[in-house]
Amino acid sequence: MKIIRNDNPVLIVGAGPVGMLTALELSLFGIETRIISKHPRYSPHSKATIIWPRVLEILSRTGVSNRIIETGHYFDQMNYYSNKKMIGNIRFDRLKYTNYRYGITIPQWKTERILEDRLNESGVFIEYGCEFIDGYNDNDVVNVTLQDNVGHIYHESYPWVIGADGYSSRVRECLGFGFDGYQMETRLAITDAELVSESTSREVGYYLHRSGNMVLAPIGDGLFRVGASVPTNYTGEINRQFFNKLLNDRVPGNKTLGHMNFCGIFNAHVRSASSYRSQNVFLVGDAAHVMSPSGAQGMNSGFQDAVNLSWKLAGVIRNEYDSSLLESYSTERMNGIKRTSKLSTFLANVSLYKKLPAIFTRDFAFRIVSRTGIVDRFITPRIAQIDIPHGELSEGITKLESGRRIPLEWNKSTLSPHLSLTKHTIFFWPGNHYIYSEWVKYFNSATKTVIGANLVNLSGKVLGFIKDLLPANSVCIIVRPDGFISDLVDINGISSNEVFNILNKKINQQPV
Ligand SMILES: Cc1cc2nc3c(=O)[nH]c(=O)nc-3n(C[C@H](O)[C@H](O)[C@H](O)COP(=O)(O)OP(=O)(O)OC[C@H]3O[C@@H](n4cnc5c(N)ncnc54)[C@H](O)[C@@H]3O)c2cc1C
């Protein structure tokens, strides 16, 4: 069998939203990819409909978030009702440390269209009708078997392969990753439909009831995503009558469905691959993990995978970083998925309580945490995905720490410092009290000695969201291209040469 070495360094298998964002991110770093998809993209099912604040931030890197915001529907609160009475809410307009104090609802097919447009503008085109059949790691390459839409088989090798081929990932199967987890008991029914006599609003409503839950989310064009848990013993059809009955049982007011775009029923799964990397093969998106749709976090989490992986892989391909850095993709993202999936499962479980004491306790607790600011501090930032730290760090943004997202963006702004898209950014913070001339000398000498990063002197600058998080003493804050803090280097009592040496090693991912 003759294996032809392909010129592209990276093969992306799957052109769903996550595969497309991965290709776009890699293109930012000048890395060419080949992206293939077994199926044509368009699906009438809206699937993922919510884009969370952190994901709007990261999508701004590739010019996607503005288009999502223009095309989608704004909402800034999720209101929770129990037995048709409001018990509390989750207010995104109260979020701290982000400019996106709202979410956007948008059908997944529109998000995919925007991503594909951006991809084409970057000179990358999806090869539809091309299927990944088989593959294995072979020393420093991955040998793959592909089949085109007229049945021709090709044997090729690539330095790197990214499996973005969704829940039934063939890449995952061929490379022998496990995919442990379970199927959730409750079936879910969804439709995108008009709601008679309901004006679209900026509220997503969650309706909890002994008979099950229901969600109504405006998604633009006068339509709502209507989702509901299916009663356990229900064997009838999922149609207008079914939804109208549940609206009547679970939702206040007299709401009924108008025009329905489609409807469907499915079983959710909670699963994660045993690792997200096997030598030169990576898994991203649903190929790596699936979770309860109750938190609406699946695609959003896949987008976080794409951004976490791309700068590392690009740096390794460009010989800027040691390949050992790539292992951190798997550990960081598996940790992030564990946190997000746990939250989604929790939200699903508590919304399905049937026994009165449990319902009473849940509603009472939610009223308290909603009114005392606990939701604002600990729950909202997690749902918004702005607070998913790496490693063992606990949630709650109180200071700048290694492993946390820095609350800054990549776009230039007069309101705050900004990050470099493709390099590490090192912020030189002089502390609250310093001698200006000495600090300027120090910074100038850093710019001549520290190579390969974007150096920013914070002295006298507008500091945006980091203003209250900076320490009193001088420090260098190293931020990765994906917006996570990699290190804080205390520069007090250390010679400048030693500091610059440490910084050079850190940004080149070498042991210090
Ligand atoms: C009803 C529902 C509601 C949801 N709601 C939300 C939500 O509100 N928020 C949220 O974040 N997420 C939500 N999700 C999850 C979200 O839809 C998925 O997480 C998302 O589609 C995953 O994207 P992906 O790119 O990883 O995979 P997919 O979208 O599954 O794309 C897989 C791609 O791989 C291709 N492919 C597959 N096999 C092969 C092969 N062998 N060779 C070549 N190509 C192949 C396919 O053609 C496709 O292009 C929801 C899901 C469902 C079902």
Side-chain angles (χ1 to χ4, degrees):
M1 180 173 68
K2 192 166 176 228
I3 298 174
I4 297 168
R5 195 181 169 103
N6 196 284
D7 290 340
N8 285 296
V10 184
L11 171 70
I12 300 178
V13 180
V18 180
M20 284 194 276
L21 185 66
T22 310
L24 253 181
E25 275 284 335
L26 285 167
S27 75
L28 279 182
F29 296 85
I31 303 297
E32 288 183 17
T33 53
R34 180 179 182 200
I35 175 166
I36 61 167
S37 176
K38 179 163 83 167
H39 302 298
R41 181 172 51 76
Y42 178 76
S43 151
H45 294 213
S46 56
K47 290 167 78 181
T49 41
I50 296 183
I51 312 276
W52 297 111
R54 173 58 179 167
V55 175
L56 290 171
E57 284 180 0
I58 59 178
L59 290 178
S60 73
R61 291 172 48 79
T62 41
V64 171
S65 54
N66 280 352
R67 296 188 194 184
I68 298 250
I69 293 164
E70 278 162 21
T71 314
H73 187 94
Y74 169 100
F75 75 96
D76 57 19
Q77 52 189 287
M78 297 194 316
N79 292 339
Y80 280 78
Y81 299 78
S82 178
N83 203 17
K84 303 192 181 182
K85 291 195 183 65
M86 168 109 77
I87 51 169
N89 48 29
I90 295 184
R91 297 278 301 265
F92 298 97
D93 53 348
R94 291 191 192 142
L95 269 175
K96 285 179 163 181
Y97 305 121
T98 179
N99 289 314
Y100 298 93
R101 287 186 283 276
Y102 54 89
I104 293 291
T105 50
I106 178 170
Q108 185 168 322
W109 64 266
K110 286 191 184 175
T111 302
E112 291 179 4
R113 198 180 57 198
I114 291 169
L115 283 163
E116 187 167 4
D117 286 349
R118 279 293 297 119
L119 210 50
N120 295 349
E121 286 160 20
S122 311
V124 184
F125 295 89
I126 297 162
E127 284 178 53
Y128 288 109
C130 186
E131 183 175 354
F132 172 95
I133 304 285
D134 200 2
Y136 57 95
N137 277 301
D138 185 12
N139 293 318
D140 59 347
V141 294
V142 190
N143 293 333
V144 300
T145 305
L146 307 178
Q147 182 172 26
D148 69 15
N149 50 7
V150 288
H152 289 141
I153 299 273
Y154 302 88
H155 302 287
E156 297 182 337
S157 76
Y158 291 83
W160 306 96
V161 169
I162 298 175
D165 48 342
Y167 176 70
S168 307
S169 171
R170 178 79 185 132
V171 175
R172 188 184 65 230
E173 194 185 333
C174 292
L175 269 293
F177 294 95
F179 198 43
D180 284 345
Y182 58 93
Q183 178 177 309
M184 297 190 88
E185 266 175 38
T186 310
R187 290 174 302 157
L188 299 170
I190 54 168
T191 179
D192 289 351
E194 286 170 351
L195 275 178
V196 176
S197 73
E198 177 79 6
S199 56
T200 53
S201 69
R202 55 180 215 179
E203 164 204 54
V204 171
Y206 278 88
Y207 304 91
L208 317 181
H209 191 265
R210 284 183 82 182
S211 67
N213 61 28
M214 195 142 198
V215 57
L216 300 180
I219 56 170
D221 299 331
L223 293 173
F224 282 76
R225 154 61 62 83
V226 182
S229 62
V230 179
T232 320
N233 299 322
Y234 184 78
T235 50
E237 270 187 52
I238 303 297
N239 53 18
R240 179 187 309 278
Q241 234 180 335
F242 166 83
F243 282 107
N244 280 342
K245 161 109 180 56
L246 295 194
L247 280 169
N248 187 45
D249 290 348
R250 300 176 183 177
V251 179
N254 297 313
K255 296 181 174 63
T256 51
L257 292 192
H259 170 76
M260 286 166 73
N261 263 6
F262 78 96
C263 66
I265 182 168
F266 66 98
N267 275 103
H269 291 253
V270 179
R271 295 180 192 280
S272 178
S274 44
S275 168
Y276 298 172
R277 178 192 180 201
S278 165
Q279 292 181 40
N280 291 15
V281 179
F282 303 90
L283 298 178
V284 292
D286 277 17
H289 46 75
V290 285
M291 56 188 80
S292 160
S294 286
Q297 304 285 340
M299 181 181 72
N300 285 265
S301 300
F303 285 155
Q304 300 256 26
D305 298 344
V307 176
N308 185 301
L309 174 62
S310 297
W311 71 271
K312 295 172 182 171
L313 183 57
V316 169
I317 292 172
R318 289 167 18 155
N319 287 323
E320 291 163 356
Y321 310 139
D322 187 82
S323 62
S324 59
L325 171 69
L326 294 171
E327 201 43 36
S328 69
Y329 164 68
S330 189
T331 45
E332 287 175 2
R333 287 309 298 146
M334 284 181 83
N335 181 289
I337 292 304
K338 207 164 138 195
R339 291 173 191 250
T340 307
S341 185
K342 196 169 150 195
L343 177 68
S344 296
T345 304
F346 170 76
L347 292 173
N349 288 344
V350 296
S351 72
L352 290 169
Y353 284 168
K354 287 193 168 61
K355 294 194 174 137
L356 283 178
I359 291 174
F360 177 80
T361 311
R362 175 198 67 201
D363 294 356
F364 179 73
F366 192 52
R367 281 194 175 96
I368 300 289
V369 294
S370 174
R371 280 171 204 169
T372 51
I374 293 174
V375 167
D376 291 346
R377 275 191 66 196
F378 295 105
I379 308 284
T380 319
R382 289 168 69 188
I383 293 178
Q385 294 213 356
I386 66 167
D387 189 15
I388 308 177
H390 298 152
E392 299 301 313
L393 289 176
S394 57
E395 283 93 358
I397 305 165
T398 50
K399 59 178 177 174
L400 301 175
E401 285 176 288
S402 164
R404 271 192 206 289
R405 151 194 172 272
I406 196 163
L408 295 175
E409 288 186 55
W410 294 268
N411 297 328
K412 276 194 182 148
S413 160
T414 50
L415 302 175
S416 74
H418 69 276
L419 304 170
S420 162
L421 271 180
T422 53
K423 292 179 188 168
H424 283 75
T425 304
I426 307 180
F427 292 108
F428 282 70
W429 168 240
N432 291 341
H433 304 285
Y434 60 100
I435 298 165
Y436 181 76
S437 56
E438 283 179 15
W439 178 253
V440 169
K441 214 165 117 196
Y442 189 87
F443 180 74
N444 285 344
S445 114
T447 56
K448 293 187 190 96
T449 324
V450 181
I451 308 297
N454 176 39
L455 272 50
V456 180
N457 179 4
L458 291 179
S459 153
K461 296 291 176 225
V462 179
L463 298 171
F465 295 125
I466 59 172
K467 180 168 160 268
D468 301 331
L469 300 172
L470 285 161
N473 291 337
S474 52
V475 71
C476 283
I477 305 155
I478 308 176
V479 185
R480 314 183 327 185
D482 65 357
F484 274 81
I485 299 170
S486 89
D487 290 279
L488 273 85
V489 179
D490 187 346
I491 59 182
N492 298 289
I494 312 179
S495 74
S496 56
N497 277 348
E498 208 175 325
V499 170
F500 301 158
N501 195 20
I502 293 173
L503 294 177
N504 271 323
K505 286 192 168 164
K506 296 257 186 202
I507 57 173
N508 291 309
Q509 311 292 321
Q510 294 163 4
V512 176

